[in-house]
Amino acid sequence: YSKFKYSTGLESFTYGDVLKYYTDRFSNLSDGVLFLVGDLDPVSAKKVLSSYLGSFPVSGRYAVRPQVKTQFRSGIQPMKGLASYSGRSGGRKGVEMYLTALSPISAERFFAVKVAEEVLRGELVKSFADKGCSVEVSSETDLFPSDRISIWISCLQADRNGLPEGVVPAAPAELSKVVDSVLERLSGTALPDNAFKQYRTLVAKAIDYDMSRPDGMIEALLLRYSEGKDFMAGYKAKLDAVKPEMVKE
C-alpha cells in the first residue's frame, strides 16, 4: 500500500467493514499492553481508564509464547555473510557483512554490544580514510525466539566527484580485506583505555538523547514490560561497568 493516504480512500468502506475491523483487532484486549507515563495520580488515572476502556471485553490469557530451548555456545562465534553490489547508487559498488551469534543477552552484554558497535564504526572509518568509501555500522539484540546479537557492516564506494584528488574508490575485494583486518585486530587486542572511554562516552550521549525523547522512552518501556528485559533502569551505571575486555569478547 502507498504511504500516502487520502480521504477518498474511505469512501468504499461500509459499516460492516469497520465493525469487522473492530472485532478482529479490539474484541479482546487481553493481549495488549498499555503504558501511561508522566506525573499521574494513580486513582485519577484508573477512573479515566475505567470510563473510556472499561467496556472493552477481555478474557483470561488464551495464548502464550512457546518456550524455545537454545543451545548457546561459549563466547560469541559470529557467522559472516559477504555480498558485493554493483549498479546501485550510480554504479558504485559496495560490500555488506552480517555477523550474528546466539548468545544470552544480559544488561551487561546489551551495553557491551552498543559500545562494540561504536568502536567498530570508529575504527573502520579510520581504516577507510584513504579508500574512498563510506561506512555504516548498526547492531541489534533480538530476544525472541532466542537471544541473538547481530551486527551489520555496510561499505559503499563514494562518488568520485566528492573525493580528494588522487583518491580512488577501492574495489569490493579490498574493502572486504580491510573489514576483515579490523575485525581480527579488535577481536585479538583490547583498545587502549583512553580510546575505549571515548567510544563509551559517545554511546552514553546517544542513549541520553534517546531517553530524552518520547520514542526512546516508549522503546525502553516496551523492552521492560512487553519483553521482560529492563536494560534502561540505571543505564548509566550499567554502561560504566562495560570494560574493554567485554567489548573485545
Side-chain angles (χ1 to χ4, degrees), residues 147-163:
D147 287 11
R148 178 183 293 276
I149 296 170
S150 303
I151 293 179
W152 288 266
I153 303 171
S154 179
C155 312
L156 180 65
Q157 290 177 333
D159 189 332
R160 288 174 178 262
N161 294 326
L163 293 175

Side-chain angles (χ1 to χ4, degrees), residues 80-85 94-98 172-173 175-177 180:
K80 181 181 70 174
L82 169 64
S84 61
Y85 298 88
V95 170
E96 295 190 357
M97 293 186 179
Y98 172 61
L175 298 178
S176 177
K177 290 180 180 179
D180 283 338

Side-chain angles (χ1 to χ4, degrees), residues 53-194:
L53 304 180
S55 62
F56 280 63
V58 295
S59 65
R61 179 181 292 183
Y62 59 89
V64 296
R65 289 190 178 100
Q67 182 178 7
V68 178
K69 295 184 178 180
T70 302
Q71 185 65 42
F72 290 113
R73 300 178 180 181
S74 59
I76 299 178
Q77 301 179 19
M79 298 181 293
K80 181 181 70 174
L82 169 64
S84 61
Y85 298 88
S86 60
R88 67 171 188 171
S89 302
R92 289 176 285 161
K93 299 179 180 179
V95 170
E96 295 190 357
M97 293 186 179
Y98 172 61
L99 300 96
T100 184
L102 292 172
S103 177
I105 300 176
S106 60
E108 181 182 80
R109 178 150 287 177
F110 175 83
F111 286 106
V113 171
K114 293 294 184 184
V115 178
E117 175 190 340
E118 196 63 48
V119 168
L120 187 55
R121 179 184 295 109
E123 295 302 303
L124 283 172
V125 168
K126 294 177 184 178
S127 298
F128 280 121
D130 61 345
K131 303 300 180 183
C133 77
S134 61
V135 182
E136 295 181 6
V137 180
S138 61
S139 66
E140 184 173 313
T141 49
D142 295 314
L143 302 176
F144 298 105
S146 298
D147 287 11
R148 178 183 293 276
I149 296 170
S150 303
I151 293 179
W152 288 266
I153 303 171
S154 179
C155 312
L156 180 65
Q157 290 177 333
D159 189 332
R160 288 174 178 262
N161 294 326
L163 293 175
E165 184 178 357
V167 177
V168 179
E174 184 178 356
L175 298 178
S176 177
K177 290 180 180 179
V178 173
V179 174
D180 283 338
S181 66
V182 172
L183 290 172
E184 184 177 357
R185 172 169 58 82
L186 293 176
S187 62
T189 306
L191 282 176
D193 193 57
N194 60 335

